[in-house]
Amino acid sequence: MELLATNVCFDGEHRRYRHTSATLQCGMEFAVFLPPVALGENGKSVPVLYWLSGLTCTDQNFMQKAGAQKLAATLGLAIVCPDTSPRGVNLPGEDDSYDFGTGAGFYVNATEQPWAPHYRMYDYVTRELPQLVESELPLTGERSISGHSMGGHGALICALKNPGLYKSVSAFAPIANPMACPWGQKAFTGYLGEDERAWQQWDATQLIPTAQERLPLLVDQGTADDFLESQLNPEALADVCEKFHHHITLRMHRGYDHSYFFIASFIDDHLNHHARALGLA
C-alpha cells in the first residue's frame, strides 16, 4: 500500500492509496476514511463500511461529494472506497463507452476474453481489498457494504452471495435487476457471454429466493431519477423480496434524481443503519 495523499477531515483522515492487485493484474487506487478514534498511539480498531460507486466513478466521487465523513467520525466508522474497474490494462474497446470497460466493472468476475484476466471486481472487493486493508489499517474485520447505481447492484450481490461477510447492506438507486435492463444486458453479455443462465448469479432479484442469509435491505430511490424506468427496476427487487419474505425498506423520495445531491441528502440514514448493525449506535 503506497500512500498517495492524506487530508485531515473532521479530526479523522481521508487517505488515498495505490497498490498492485494480484486479482486484477494491474495497479489500483482506493480511498479510506479513518475516524479520529482510530488514529494516534492510543487509536483503536474500528469497523468499516465498504462503498461501491457507480458507472464512470472512481474512489474520489463518494469521498468528495457524499458528505459522509462528519457522521462517520462521530460514530467511529471507517469507510473504504475502491475504484469501479481495472485501469490501464489496454484492452481493445475498453474505453469506447461509459457503460462498459473502464469505470464499468459491474462487480462481476468476467469469464469472457479478453476481460477475464483483469475484470474480476467481485473477487477484488469481497476478498483481496478487505484482506489488504484489514491487515494494514486499524480495522476490526467487521464490515458493512453500500453503494450507488452500479455500485448499489454490487453491494446487493456481494451481501447476498456471502453470508456472514457483512453485518448490513444498503443501496442508493441500485441497478436492481440488471438482467432486465440495457446497462446490465450490455455488461453481462460482454463480461459473461450470451448464456443468460450465467447471468443469474450476478442479479439480486435472482439471488433473493435462495439467499442463505436475510440481511434487511435499505434501498433509497429518487422519483425524478432519469434512469428509474429504463435501468433501475426497484419494483422488481421489492416484488421478489415480498414473495420470499426478505425484509426490504424501499423508500421513494419525491423530486430527487440520480446524483450525489440525492446521496448526500440521505447518507446519514444509511450510516446509522450500518452503525446499528455494527454495534456503534
Side-chain angles (χ1 to χ4, degrees):
M1 286 171 54
E2 175 191 358
L3 182 63
L4 301 176
T6 302
N7 306 96
V8 176
C9 185
F10 296 104
D11 294 324
E13 288 185 1
H14 165 258
R15 301 176 182 176
R16 296 194 73 239
Y17 289 97
R18 179 188 292 123
H19 77 116
T20 299
S21 168
T23 301
L24 308 179
Q25 299 181 31
C26 67
M28 293 293 286
E29 296 179 358
F30 63 92
V32 179
F33 174 73
L34 292 175
V37 70
L39 302 177
E41 293 183 2
N42 298 317
K44 66 176 186 178
S45 295
V46 296
V48 58
L49 172 66
Y50 288 88
W51 173 270
L52 307 184
S53 293
L55 290 167
T56 75
C57 290
T58 68
D59 63 279
Q60 299 185 67
N61 297 74
F62 178 84
M63 288 299 194
Q64 294 180 8
K65 297 179 178 180
Q69 293 93 335
K70 183 176 183 178
L71 181 56
T74 300
L75 291 169
L77 177 65
I79 303 172
V80 171
C81 293
D83 205 342
T84 52
S85 77
R87 301 278 172 172
V89 291
N90 299 317
L91 299 181
E94 186 177 47
D95 298 316
D96 288 354
S97 58
Y98 78 95
D99 55 357
F100 186 81
T102 301
F106 261 82
Y107 305 103
V108 303
N109 287 338
T111 55
E112 294 294 295
Q113 297 298 332
W115 313 99
H118 300 285
Y119 276 68
R120 305 184 61 81
M121 287 299 293
Y122 172 78
D123 278 355
Y124 179 72
V125 301
T126 60
R127 293 177 174 83
E128 184 180 17
L129 185 60
Q131 289 171 4
L132 176 66
V133 296
E134 291 168 16
S135 66
E136 297 290 335
L137 297 173
L139 304 175
T140 63
E142 292 192 308
R143 312 169 193 92
S144 292
I145 192 164
S146 186
H148 170 233
S149 194
M150 178 185 71
H153 142 76
L156 293 173
I157 64 168
C158 287
L160 289 166
K161 289 165 70 69
N162 292 280
L165 187 61
Y166 305 102
K167 297 292 187 181
S168 54
V169 57
S170 72
F172 286 86
I175 305 173
N177 186 192
M179 291 181 65
C181 76
W183 278 342
Q185 291 163 355
K186 179 177 180 177
F188 286 5
T189 300
Y191 296 136
L192 306 172
E194 298 283 350
D195 186 353
E196 294 189 10
R197 291 173 296 181
W199 301 2
Q200 294 176 358
Q201 64 175 305
W202 306 106
D203 186 313
T205 68
Q206 301 296 310
L207 295 171
I208 288 289
T210 58
Q212 297 179 32
E213 180 181 47
R214 299 198 173 272
L215 295 176
L217 308 183
L218 172 60
V219 177
D220 278 341
Q221 174 66 59
T223 64
D225 190 322
D226 289 341
F227 306 110
L228 176 57
E229 299 300 327
S230 60
Q231 303 282 8
L232 303 179
N233 272 327
E235 295 87 356
L237 181 64
D239 288 347
V240 73
C241 284
E242 181 178 3
K243 182 178 180 180
F244 290 93
H245 308 290
H246 193 125
H247 182 78
I248 184 172
T249 300
L250 172 59
R251 307 192 305 181
M252 303 297 294
H253 299 279
R254 183 175 178 83
Y256 284 89
D257 59 20
H258 200 69
S259 72
Y260 267 85
F261 294 108
F262 167 52
I263 295 170
S265 299
F266 300 102
I267 190 63
D268 284 3
D269 292 348
H270 287 243
L271 295 180
N272 284 319
H273 167 76
H274 297 298
R276 288 189 292 270
L278 292 164
L280 296 175

